[in-house]
Amino acid sequence: MRRTGFDRGDRWGSALSATRWLGYTSVVPLKTTEPTHTDDPLDADQAVIDRVLAGDRNAFGILIERYSDPLYRHAYGMTGSADVAEDILQVSFIKAFHHLAEVRGRFDAWVFRIVANGCKDWLKNIRRTHLSYEEDDQPSGLETPEEELDRGEMRRDLDSALQSLPSSLREAFVMKHVEGRSYEEMAELLDATVGALKMRVHRAREALQKLLEDRYQ
Amino acid sequence: MMRENLDPRDAAREPLAEPRAVTPTDAIASDREVTPPRTELPPAVHAFLDGDKVAETQLSAAERELELWKRISAETGRRRRMVTPAYLPKQILSKLADD
């Protein structure tokens, strides 16, 4: 019998496979707010960009709706703060709006780079001192108290461990495991080779293993 | 389609602490990209986590590691369901209108 990842049949698997589909950005737009005349997302985005450049400022909202979720997850994964992720997204989309005429090729890849650079700039200048996930530790009623406690601990420990990784390893891990991107997509977005990105993800995993194994094994 | 909003700010919370000013040491540390200490994982575990086909026998030799990664995957799966706060797109458009 062969198994592939935590995406086959168990509770982790169903979440991963479903969100891998939902979180994908380059081929299938996350969500659209209006029908488009083409199935090609590149053409669909370009049609919206043309409308914005022609003066329909509100049409920019279509692009925000279409791509904000994976970008928000990326910013959150990189910074560990919902407030900072929100700020980075806001600044990035405003920047994208003002430079929209410069888009060549895929809008989603272009705006991803703006957000990714925003995260890196933030990380260079600010050291996070607070784990905002703590606020979400209230019991949801969906799990047993033991599971809730366990979930809160893992959340904090994983956050703390991620923050201790170099940003390039954290970025690769977040893109692979939180955003659910393929190595090929990551390579395209980060302008790196698949081999280099696999190496980063593997190193990130092994560093996390080292940091968390004593507590969880 | 139902999507779980895991925005932690929906729950009651304490205010965020002010981030302290960055020091030159911090900046150097974040740029240095030092490879942290690692525990080597069996190739089968990496392959499994990459979504590749792995024989059950290879995985059974790494049960301890897989147990940890099952828990990590549960957490990353939850994070993958996070969505942008509903007010943010409107807020961005309103900022653009103010320009």
Side-chain angles (χ1 to χ4, degrees):
Chain A
M1 181 182 174
R2 285 176 180 272
R3 294 164 62 190
T4 53
F6 290 117
D7 55 353
R8 295 290 183 274
D10 57 15
R11 56 182 289 210
W12 297 276
S14 51
L16 279 176
S17 55
T19 50
R20 179 165 294 157
W21 171 255
L22 286 171
Y24 197 64
T25 60
S26 64
V27 176
V28 181
L30 260 185
K31 52 190 176 184
T32 56
T33 53
E34 63 173 32
T36 54
H37 299 291
T38 172
D39 288 335
D40 183 343
L42 187 65
D43 290 345
D45 286 350
Q46 192 55 53
V48 176
I49 291 169
D50 291 343
R51 281 173 57 186
V52 177
L53 293 176
D56 183 0
R57 190 179 285 235
N58 285 334
F60 192 67
I62 297 169
L63 296 174
I64 298 174
E65 288 287 330
R66 199 171 277 174
Y67 295 116
S68 62
D69 285 350
L71 296 173
Y72 180 70
R73 286 189 279 268
H74 183 82
Y76 199 120
M78 290 298 289
T79 64
S81 162
D83 289 324
V84 173
E86 217 175 280
D87 287 348
I88 288 174
L89 233 64
Q90 183 162 302
V91 168
S92 297
F93 272 115
I94 289 172
K95 194 173 180 179
F97 176 84
H98 288 301
H99 293 83
L100 205 55
E102 298 166 21
V103 176
R104 302 285 181 271
R106 284 171 42 185
F107 173 80
D108 64 324
W110 181 74
V111 75
F112 173 85
R113 279 191 284 275
I114 296 175
V115 171
N117 287 336
C119 293
K120 285 172 189 164
D121 288 345
W122 183 85
L123 289 167
K124 277 182 189 168
N125 292 300
I126 300 290
R127 298 286 287 181
R128 193 170 57 87
T129 57
H130 180 83
L131 293 176
S132 57
Y133 261 129
E134 286 171 10
E135 292 87 31
D136 194 32
D137 287 343
Q138 305 303 315
S140 66
L142 299 175
E143 300 176 50
T144 66
E146 291 77 17
E147 285 172 330
E148 288 282 3
L149 184 64
D150 184 54
R151 173 184 164 185
E153 284 177 3
M154 171 52 85
R155 178 176 291 176
R156 278 188 294 273
D157 289 342
L158 181 59
D159 244 332
S160 174
L162 281 172
Q163 295 302 315
S164 73
L165 298 184
S167 65
S168 66
L169 301 192
R170 187 186 328 168
E171 179 180 61
F173 182 85
V174 166
M175 290 179 78
K176 182 68 184 165
H177 285 285
V178 177
E179 298 167 38
R181 298 181 190 270
S182 68
Y183 284 117
E184 289 73 19
E185 189 184 7
M186 290 165 63
E188 201 172 347
L189 291 171
L190 297 176
D191 196 22
T193 64
V194 167
L197 290 166
K198 271 193 178 182
M199 180 69 75
R200 285 182 212 169
V201 170
H202 289 197
R203 282 185 177 163
R205 283 178 192 153
E206 292 182 348
L208 293 175
Q209 177 79 26
K210 176 79 176 172
L211 289 162
L212 299 172
E213 62 188 354
D214 287 345
R215 189 172 170 87
Y216 290 97
Q217 283 186 342
Chain B
M1 178 188 303
M2 287 191 65
R3 304 175 76 180
E4 186 179 354
N5 184 359
L6 297 178
D7 184 345
R9 290 158 308 164
D10 286 350
R13 61 177 186 161
E14 296 172 6
L16 286 174
E18 287 293 319
R20 67 176 171 81
V22 68
T23 66
T25 313
D26 292 333
I28 291 166
S30 64
D31 282 345
R32 195 182 289 146
E33 299 280 305
V34 175
T35 303
R38 293 178 282 150
T39 296
E40 199 169 327
L41 283 170
V45 173
H46 282 303
F48 181 68
L49 294 173
D50 283 341
D52 298 336
K53 288 181 180 175
V54 181
E56 194 79 34
T57 49
Q58 289 180 286
L59 288 178
S60 59
E63 271 181 13
R64 272 167 55 87
E65 289 88 347
L66 282 177
E67 189 52 42
L68 171 62
W69 281 96
K70 195 176 272 191
R71 299 173 79 156
I72 292 174
S73 294
E75 177 56 26
T76 55
R78 276 190 282 270
R79 292 177 189 211
R80 204 182 303 177
R81 293 193 299 277
M82 291 178 74
V83 295
T84 317
Y87 55 82
L88 189 60
K90 281 184 184 172
Q91 189 173 297
I92 295 171
L93 285 176
S94 128
K95 292 256 180 193
L96 289 174
D98 292 343
D99 279 355

